[in-house]
Amino acid sequence: MREKTESAAPVVVIGAGMAGARLAARAPGVTVVGEERHAPYNRVLLADVLAGRYAPDVIALPATEVRRGVRAVRIDRADRLVHCDDGSVLRYGRLVLATGSNPVLPPLRGLGATLPDGVHPFRTLDDALALRAAVRPGARAVVIGGGLLGVSAARALAECGAQVVLAQQGEHLMERQLDPEAAALLRVHLEALGVEVHTECRVRGLHCTTTATGESVQAVQLADGYELAADLTVLACGVRPRTGLARAAGLEVRKGIVVDDELRTSDPYIHALGDCAEHRSTLYGLAGPALEQADVLAEVLAGRPARYEGTRALTRLSLPSPDPVKALDLAAFGEARPLPGDDVIRLSDATRGAYRTVVLREGRLAGGVLLGDLGAVAGLARTWQDDEPLPPAMSLLHLLTDDGGH
């Protein structure tokens, strides 16, 4: 009788990000607890909010009942209770951890637990709104980190009229997704918009001054001793899964919260999904896999057979502009860097600003990058996701040049 009562207890979701909101939409009746004061929103569009293209309500996700501004502070696995910072206690039959990730704060001199005035992470809607309120035409902005988030932030700040410097420690922009040729084209695009790009550039610290309200950033110090004057500094140095609640509750945690193919943790009554979940030793940190995991978990919670076997994730970045010449779209999938023995097919059309490359490995499509014209991305992505032997070379060339395989 005790088991029947417990199984009838509600599903509680900790985290109202894209993964938690998607699960709530697919599994009505769950209780969602979210730290942010905003309704769930599409995190992919934060740069558009920063640039002023979208208002916050435009990126809101379909209505989901969420207890906003409430933080879960402890999980009692023995009695299946969640304790919250407002004093409330929630009983669960199944608990879902969708706690997401935190921005990585690099170990820089002058950067303590409290961020100096003018220093901003770029992870949440509040971050985007704070930056939007702080930026002014002519403001000197330094973005630290040249990954997907850093590129998006630099472009958005440039659209706001700021003088932007993008400092990337690696050899080229978006190293995880792009090959050197595509990264060079992306750099040309950013520089044409006025963004000053520095690669192989290590940041050592922040130069701050003391004001009546605390510390305020004045410059970013590079390892070679040079200083970049900064009214604003944006930290876009990656993210780290939020695993504190899970670890304190005694769940298995490696880099993320370890889950099986039913998104189940080491406790059979607790699941995890999204940025905080580690599945088959993989952390995704992207919206696509998080949404796919939510769809699978909705089926599992409904008692229907479903398994998550991983996601072959496609990364897309759209940099729109009222001036079509200044707009840019790119897509990357799989392994764009060839290994010894791989074959590479590359097409470049300077007049159209288009670049396409694919890597072939043992008769299969290993990955690729498309920049500019994305007409072929649907067909290539399907071929890659199916992981089937490739068609004859002429058919692959057709995939590279057609309208997406339709």
Side-chain angles (χ1 to χ4, degrees):
M1 188 68 179
R2 182 171 183 258
E3 180 62 36
K4 181 177 179 181
T5 301
E6 289 180 343
S7 64
V11 175
V12 174
V13 179
I14 300 177
M18 295 179 70
R22 176 67 162 250
L23 178 63
R26 293 290 308 273
V30 305
T31 299
V32 182
V33 177
E35 287 186 30
E36 294 189 57
R37 59 188 175 89
H38 305 283
Y41 55 86
N42 186 341
R43 198 178 302 276
V44 175
L45 299 176
L46 286 179
D48 295 285
V49 173
L50 172 54
R53 281 189 294 273
Y54 297 147
D57 60 329
V58 174
I59 71 168
L61 296 173
T64 301
E65 194 65 34
V66 178
R67 295 187 61 188
R68 302 186 203 174
V70 177
R71 183 168 62 91
V73 294
R74 185 168 67 87
I75 299 168
D76 180 344
R77 290 170 53 194
D79 291 325
R80 296 185 204 162
L81 302 174
V82 175
H83 295 261
C84 301
D85 63 352
D86 64 353
S88 62
V89 179
L90 302 174
R91 181 174 298 278
Y92 66 86
R94 295 287 184 95
L95 178 63
V96 180
L97 301 178
T99 48
S101 54
N102 285 326
V104 172
L105 301 182
L108 302 179
R109 296 178 187 175
L111 188 63
T114 301
L115 296 182
D117 288 343
V119 177
H120 298 261
F122 187 51
R123 182 63 181 162
T124 68
L125 181 53
D126 280 336
D127 294 337
L129 293 174
L131 265 172
R132 176 72 183 168
V135 68
R136 298 287 184 272
R140 299 165 300 181
V142 177
V143 178
I144 302 174
L148 180 65
L149 202 59
V151 167
S152 300
R155 166 63 189 265
L157 289 168
E159 287 187 69
C160 294
Q163 301 174 33
V164 184
V165 176
L166 177 57
Q168 160 70 336
Q169 183 169 320
E171 293 183 359
H172 61 76
L173 298 174
M174 292 182 62
E175 283 189 308
R176 290 182 58 188
Q177 294 89 8
L178 302 184
D179 61 12
E181 291 82 1
L185 291 172
L186 176 58
R187 177 172 184 159
V188 168
H189 170 79
L190 291 173
E191 290 176 340
L193 298 173
V195 178
E196 185 179 325
V197 179
H198 294 270
T199 53
E200 298 183 271
C201 173
R202 191 166 65 86
V203 175
R204 182 174 61 186
L206 303 178
H207 177 204
C208 300
T209 58
T210 302
T211 68
T213 57
E215 295 291 299
S216 179
V217 68
Q218 299 297 307
V220 172
Q221 301 171 334
L222 304 183
D224 61 7
Y226 187 76
E227 288 196 351
L228 300 170
D231 303 306
L232 297 171
T233 300
V234 179
L235 305 177
C237 306
V239 295
R240 183 176 291 116
R242 295 184 64 183
T243 59
L245 266 179
R247 196 181 297 274
L251 300 177
E252 183 181 0
V253 176
R254 295 174 194 161
K255 290 184 178 179
I257 305 168
V258 177
V259 297
D260 62 14
D261 289 356
E262 291 186 333
L263 289 312
R264 196 186 314 270
T265 69
S266 52
D267 183 322
Y269 296 98
I270 302 178
H271 301 262
L273 75 167
D275 287 5
C276 67
E278 179 180 336
H279 175 260
R280 298 186 185 181
S281 302
T282 299
L283 288 164
Y284 288 99
L286 296 169
L291 299 180
E292 189 174 332
Q293 290 171 3
D295 290 344
V296 170
L297 185 52
E299 296 297 301
V300 171
L301 294 176
R304 294 185 286 267
R307 298 179 70 83
Y308 177 71
E309 298 183 347
T311 300
R312 295 172 72 84
L314 175 75
T315 299
R316 295 189 67 156
L317 176 63
S318 180
L319 302 173
S321 172
D323 181 354
V325 176
K326 296 182 178 180
L328 182 71
D329 293 300
L330 67 84
F333 58 94
E335 298 179 42
R337 296 181 180 180
L339 301 176
D342 290 347
D343 294 316
V344 179
I345 297 177
R346 182 174 293 120
L347 299 177
S348 182
D349 185 345
T351 59
R352 299 175 60 192
Y355 172 84
R356 303 174 184 183
T357 182
V358 292
V359 176
L360 313 180
R361 182 174 302 152
E362 297 180 353
R364 286 174 164 79
L365 190 58
V369 177
L370 291 84
L371 187 145
D373 183 357
L374 300 190
V377 70
L380 287 169
R382 281 197 299 271
T383 301
W384 171 65
Q385 289 168 347
D386 291 343
D387 197 27
E388 296 292 335
L390 287 169
M394 187 56 71
S395 297
L396 180 60
L397 188 61
H398 177 66
L399 274 178
L400 268 173
T401 56
D402 74 356
D403 63 353
H406 298 298

